[in-house]
């Protein structure tokens, strides 16, 4: 799996778990909705650590929790 796709899938999963829309997450994470759309597309090349931190914070999880799932632990990314 591609790393960018894995990030997109993780954010989508967390949005579903926390019952948040794109608009709500973008507002809570203080990132532009357009940037969140790029992240969710899985086609971004350089998502910032700050954006991932803000998304994690908005979901009330740590950045460690964000990455502490099987896909990030067991996968070799391209």
């Amino acid at each position: 799996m591609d790393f960018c796709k894995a990030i997109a899938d993780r954010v989508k999963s967390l949005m579903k778990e926390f019952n948040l829309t794109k608009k709500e997450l973008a507002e809570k994470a203080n990132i532009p909705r357009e940037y969140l759309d790029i992240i969710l597309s899985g086609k971004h090349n350089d998502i910032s650590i700050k954006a991932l931190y803000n998304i994690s914070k908005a979901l009330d999880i740590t950045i460690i929790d964000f990455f502490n799932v099987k896909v990030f632990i067991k996968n070799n990314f391209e």
Side-chain angles (χ1 to χ4, degrees):
M1 176 181 279
D2 179 80
F3 185 69
C4 297
K5 174 87 168 87
I7 288 175
D9 289 349
R10 179 67 170 141
V11 173
K12 289 175 189 175
S13 172
L14 289 165
M15 286 173 61
K16 185 174 182 178
E17 180 180 334
F18 288 91
N19 196 32
L20 289 173
T21 65
K22 289 187 230 181
K23 181 181 182 210
E24 292 168 332
L25 180 56
E27 287 175 0
K28 285 183 78 167
N30 197 30
I31 59 175
R33 167 78 187 275
E34 297 79 12
Y35 188 48
L36 182 58
D37 286 338
I38 292 168
I39 293 168
L40 295 174
S41 75
K43 297 178 183 176
H44 54 83
N45 291 326
D46 58 353
I47 184 171
S48 74
I49 295 297
K50 175 97 168 139
L52 285 177
Y53 172 79
N54 286 351
I55 289 169
S56 298
K57 188 176 175 184
L59 297 169
D60 200 27
I61 64 171
T62 67
I63 195 82
I64 293 169
D65 291 334
F66 182 91
F67 287 108
N68 194 23
V69 291
K70 186 177 179 179
V71 69
F72 293 110
I73 296 168
K74 301 280 183 184
N75 208 328
N76 291 322
F77 296 104
E78 300 173 5

